[in-house]
């Protein structure tokens, strides 16, 4: 009994010292950030493997660009860490308005249309910026700020206001049209509301609104035909409505199956090096992991994602204020949905929706945004005693 008592006193003493420690870096989550960086490095390797034949004479063309994006992402994460996250709570409205301004601007003539999507700004050096990716960060901060302000008061009016806040950026992204990002933003909203105190009845209303929104998008012609066919192919693979979607998913499953236990070897995958899987360095990058690194490589990657989500969930629970909990919940909802949907579509258990694999897929806007979101989580973690 005395031993148990001493253990309890020792734990309380350590917690008291931690609270008195003025240095937030003492509580920096090295495991979270280390796992994220490890996934990013694996992503660089797989981007090289999937693109080394794309640019004659420069097999590292895409790797150098992705490395630059990774570096900017780390800087963005450090920038978010440098600011007390509670200051973001006081500027949640500004984050929301900035998000809306960017989404409106990209639909104007200053935006660029690439592959049928009005979703990018052209930057010098051949780079592009996708505001819909940045909207994930903005929506997390904005909704967390609003739900924190009205904690315990989510009546019908407050809930309607939240829906209206979320509907504006979601609607603007749908006009691009970018169905994948719309689904991610919706997942962020649902995750935040679930923790903010959404009742079962309110959740039912939310589901009805989501179904109504999808039906309206389909019937009003907002979605492009190939986007609708992707879901039709997933529901009925034998329907033959979209040979392209069926081909992509079939080649993806074949590539993963070829990897077996240990993989065919880095840079040696027959499907990957043969270019049979479309968009393999972006949406279908997990297939190269499965084929070239095998089941073992895929399990290692999934374990790293599990660590990231566990540490995010842990930080949400340990946060000393509700805003920090909500921010971490929004990031967790985003990462969990994107990871499950992306890997699921490569395995054929989810429809193709054009969603990137966090920290892995080629693309600057997505990579920078996810690192900034990890910066939010690490920020909450290291300031939980301040």
């Amino acid at each position: 009994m005395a031993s148990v008592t001493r253990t309890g006193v020792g734990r309380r003493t350590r917690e008291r010292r931690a609270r008195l420690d003025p240095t937030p870096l003492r509580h920096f989550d090295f495991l979270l950030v280390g796992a994220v960086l490890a996934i990013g490095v694996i992503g660089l390797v797989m981007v090289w493997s999937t693109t080394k034949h794309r640019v004659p004479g420069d097999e590292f063309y895409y790797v150098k660009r992705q490395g630059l994006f990774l570096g900017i992402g780390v800087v963005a994460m450090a920038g978010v860490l440098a600011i007390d996250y509670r200051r973001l709570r006081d500027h949640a409205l500004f984050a929301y308005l900035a998000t809306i301004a960017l989404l409106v601007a990209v639909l104007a003539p200053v935006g660029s249309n690439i592959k049928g999507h009005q979703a990018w700004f052209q930057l010098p050096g051949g780079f592009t910026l996708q505001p819909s990716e940045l909207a994930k960060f903005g929506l997390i901060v904005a909704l967390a700020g609003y739900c924190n302000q009205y904690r315990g008061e989510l009546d019908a009016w407050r809930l309607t206001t939240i829906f209206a806040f979320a509907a504006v950026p979601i609607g603007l992204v749908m006009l691009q049209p970018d169905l994948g990002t719309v689904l991610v933003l919706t997942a962020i909203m649902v995750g935040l509301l679930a923790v903010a105190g959404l009742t079962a009845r309110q959740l039912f209303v939310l589901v009805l609104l989501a179904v109504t929104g999808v039906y309206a998008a389909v019937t009003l012609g907002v979605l492009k035909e190939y986007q609708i066919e992707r879901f039709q192919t997933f529901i009925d693979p034998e329907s033959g409505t979209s040979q392209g979607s069926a081909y992509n998913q079939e080649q993806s499953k074949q590539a993963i199956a070829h990897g077996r236990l240990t993989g065919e070897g880095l840079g040696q995958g027959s499907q990957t090096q043969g270019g049979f899987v479309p968009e393999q360095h972006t949406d279908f990058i997990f297939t190269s992991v499965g084929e070239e690194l095998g089941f073992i490589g895929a399990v290692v990657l999934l374990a790293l994602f599990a660590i990231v989500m566990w540490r995010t969930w842990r930080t949400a629970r340990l946060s000393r204020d509700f805003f920090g909990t909500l921010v971490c919940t929004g990031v967790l909802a985003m990462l969990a949905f994107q990871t499950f949907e992306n890997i699921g579509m490569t395995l054929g258990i989810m429809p193709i929706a054009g969603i990137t694999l966090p920290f892995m897929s080629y693309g600057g806007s997505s990579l920078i945004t996810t690192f900034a979101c990890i910066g939010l989580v690490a920020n909450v973690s290291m300031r939980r005693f301040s």
Side-chain angles (χ1 to χ4, degrees), residues 143 146-147 154 157-167 189 193:
L143 290 185
Y146 186 87
C147 291
L154 289 184
W157 169 248
R158 300 296 182 199
L159 196 58
T160 302
T161 304
I162 292 173
F163 288 160
F165 274 155
M189 179 182 67
L193 287 176

Side-chain angles (χ1 to χ4, degrees), residues 105-114 117-123 128:
V106 80
L107 292 173
V110 293
S112 298
N113 190 302
I114 301 176
H117 298 273
Q118 185 75 15
W120 286 269
F121 291 121
Q122 291 288 350
L123 302 178
T128 58

